[in-house]
Amino acid sequence: MIEAQLTVDRDFEIAALDRRLFGVFVEHLGRCVYTGIYEPDHPTADADGFRQDVTELTRELGATLVRYPGGNFMSGYDWEDGVGPKDQRPTRLDLAWFSTETNQVGTNEFMAWCERVGMTPMFGVNLGTRGADEARQYLEYCNHPGGTTRSELRRSHGVDAPHAIKLWCLGNEMDGPWQICRKTPDEYGRLALETGKLMRMVDPTIELAACGSSAYDMPSYGVWEDRVLEHCFDVVDYLSLHSYFVKPTSDTSTESFLAQIESNARYIEATVAVADAVAARRHSAKRIMLSFDEWNVWYRARPGEHMKQEGWPQAPRLLEEVYNVEDALLIGGMLTMMINHADRVKVACLAQLVNVIGPIMTTPGGPAWRQTIFHPFALTARHAHGTVLRPVIRSPGWIDPKQGELPYLCASVVHDAASGRTAIFALNRHLSEEMDLTVTLRGLGLTQELVEAQQLQHADLQACNSEAEPDKVTPVPLSGIVIDGDQLRVRLHPASWNVIVMKATSP
Ligand code: AHR
């Protein structure tokens, strides 16, 4: 048994939580779109061909935002291919994933689905094979009310009101050697500046995200961010971060795997430092915010070098990572860490939504089910509302060879003044010891009552959900919580992720 304390105080706020932190990602890749969200022949398909079982699970997941249409796909995408009558749309080679793209889903179908689910769109423009001119035309098609050729084209496609897409990515991972038409930081920085400038002329209400490095361990990380922002600082609002967590060898311990929470915290803090250094050089009060627009566990289902595969298949099984309990613990811990960086991380997208490194899996013509990582995401998205409070954590820990001394407890606390509710998210990273946790909620009401408490844990850290056993790993009630005024005590299971929701009963 280990003991830990978590204390927050109403007056010690980090920031208001931006609910866009609970975003996901849908790319034209593998079976994410085709036989993922869209399958016209499926028994649950709606009139537009979208699988209603997947729509329902997406709603249950609580995703607030969705990034589209890629990813690497975006760098070769011609948006014109995906609008207008479906039977006249071209079939293209997708060089990003060596697949055939039928364009049966495009901007208007996707937006209709996105609105039905209730998610905010985050669209991207192709800064690989195309550039500023295409981007301003695409934005005019999407967001201009009418009276111009491109806005009238949209209206002729049956979409009378503008889509009003507010958030746009200026390309994707433009530093990556795998990217279609990779750029140097100076080439990309200039292009992002000029593209952003034109896009803002078309619609001054939009927000823009520039590409950061495609990973923290890219050799050019830091230099890339600095050079890119040197060019486009004035025109962009966000800088992107991408992170895929790995377990490098079968001997890698679960503790080291879970220590990636801290390396990603450092990634965020280092990126803020670089962005603020650019601001400092310009004597600028502007602060660039972060868009962590691709993040997840991804190491088992990695395609070979250059993503190459034979035969240009349609909707092949690509990146179909099957997640276990260990992965779910890391996802839960990452969410607590990102919440604790809510002052600078304003947007985040779990990559991706369905089949392709996704929390939802489907069988073509068959069922859809929740992967293990679905659960911490859904519970956090459901309960994290309001203001993030600064957590003071006292916990025993261990020495990780790469990250140094780390606490077993990872936690975040979010308070919603409107409802009086406080949500506590806590990960016990001790793999064999229970944790006696005392939580003190100062200034949030003299007495508290329990609203809900759930835990995610399983005797087998390698356990997965599957079509045959869709609920093998699922949250269960967390009991035994003792409340004493503004304090609560609870015993957390070893290797468990937990959520406890409290409500003040007296001010
Ligand atoms: O999410 C899968 C791929 O990972 C995306 O297309 C790309 O942006 C990243 O490298």
Side-chain angles (χ1 to χ4, degrees), residues 383-433:
H383 293 298
H385 292 264
T387 303
V388 183
L389 302 179
R390 189 167 297 287
V392 176
I393 290 174
R394 290 207 167 75
S395 162
W398 82 100
I399 311 273
D400 179 79
K402 280 198 191 145
Q403 309 301 333
E405 195 174 345
L406 302 179
Y408 286 116
L409 176 66
C410 276
S412 60
V413 180
V414 189
H415 175 66
D416 183 18
S419 67
R421 288 184 174 196
T422 304
I424 301 150
F425 304 97
L427 171 67
N428 176 12
R429 290 190 283 190
H430 203 297
L431 304 181
S432 54
E433 295 286 334

Side-chain angles (χ1 to χ4, degrees), residues 25 27 29 71-72 97 172-173 244 294 298 319 352 357:
F25 177 26
E27 175 167 7
L29 191 185
N72 297 339
W97 301 103
N172 177 69
E173 294 188 350
Y244 290 106
E294 286 187 34
W298 177 25
L319 283 57
Q352 299 192 4
I357 41 176

Side-chain angles (χ1 to χ4, degrees), residues 461-481:
L461 288 183
Q462 306 307 313
C464 302
N465 293 340
S466 62
E467 181 174 350
E469 288 183 291
D471 295 320
K472 186 169 178 179
V473 180
T474 198
V476 293
L478 172 64
S479 56
I481 296 174

Side-chain angles (χ1 to χ4, degrees), residues 356-505:
V356 174
I357 41 176
I360 301 170
M361 288 294 268
T362 69
T363 294
W369 63 96
R370 303 164 190 83
Q371 294 231 57
T372 59
I373 61 169
F374 182 101
H375 297 294
F377 188 98
L379 283 167
T380 309
R382 190 182 321 152
H383 293 298
H385 292 264
T387 303
V388 183
L389 302 179
R390 189 167 297 287
V392 176
I393 290 174
R394 290 207 167 75
S395 162
W398 82 100
I399 311 273
D400 179 79
K402 280 198 191 145
Q403 309 301 333
E405 195 174 345
L406 302 179
Y408 286 116
L409 176 66
C410 276
S412 60
V413 180
V414 189
H415 175 66
D416 183 18
S419 67
R421 288 184 174 196
T422 304
I424 301 150
F425 304 97
L427 171 67
N428 176 12
R429 290 190 283 190
H430 203 297
L431 304 181
S432 54
E433 295 286 334
E434 290 180 315
M435 176 183 282
D436 256 349
L437 174 64
T438 304
V439 183
T440 308
L441 304 173
R442 284 192 198 141
L444 294 167
L446 289 176
T447 53
Q448 296 275 335
E449 70 180 13
L450 181 65
V451 177
E452 183 181 336
Q454 304 223 44
Q455 57 176 323
L456 191 73
Q457 47 92 3
H458 197 280
D460 177 8
L461 288 183
Q462 306 307 313
C464 302
N465 293 340
S466 62
E467 181 174 350
E469 288 183 291
D471 295 320
K472 186 169 178 179
V473 180
T474 198
V476 293
L478 172 64
S479 56
I481 296 174
V482 178
I483 303 166
D484 180 8
D486 64 356
Q487 226 176 40
L488 67 95
R489 280 188 299 281
V490 59
R491 186 161 290 176
L492 305 181
H493 200 278
S496 67
W497 180 87
N498 307 266
V499 54
I500 303 168
V501 184
M502 306 295 293
K503 185 171 170 32
T505 48

Side-chain angles (χ1 to χ4, degrees), residues 153-212:
L153 181 65
R154 182 197 69 241
R155 296 182 71 204
S156 77
H157 293 155
V159 183
D160 201 32
H163 287 307
I165 300 167
K166 196 169 167 64
L167 192 52
W168 290 83
C169 300
L170 294 167
N172 177 69
E173 294 188 350
M174 297 310 305
D175 63 327
W178 56 87
Q179 203 63 219
I180 299 172
C181 298
R182 175 195 195 186
K183 306 272 185 285
T184 67
D186 288 319
E187 286 166 351
Y188 172 68
R190 285 274 308 136
L191 182 58
L193 168 67
E194 292 304 320
T195 305
K197 194 171 86 184
L198 301 201
M199 290 177 77
R200 283 195 191 285
M201 287 172 181
V202 174
D203 181 351
T205 71
I206 58 170
E207 293 186 316
L208 294 169
C211 295

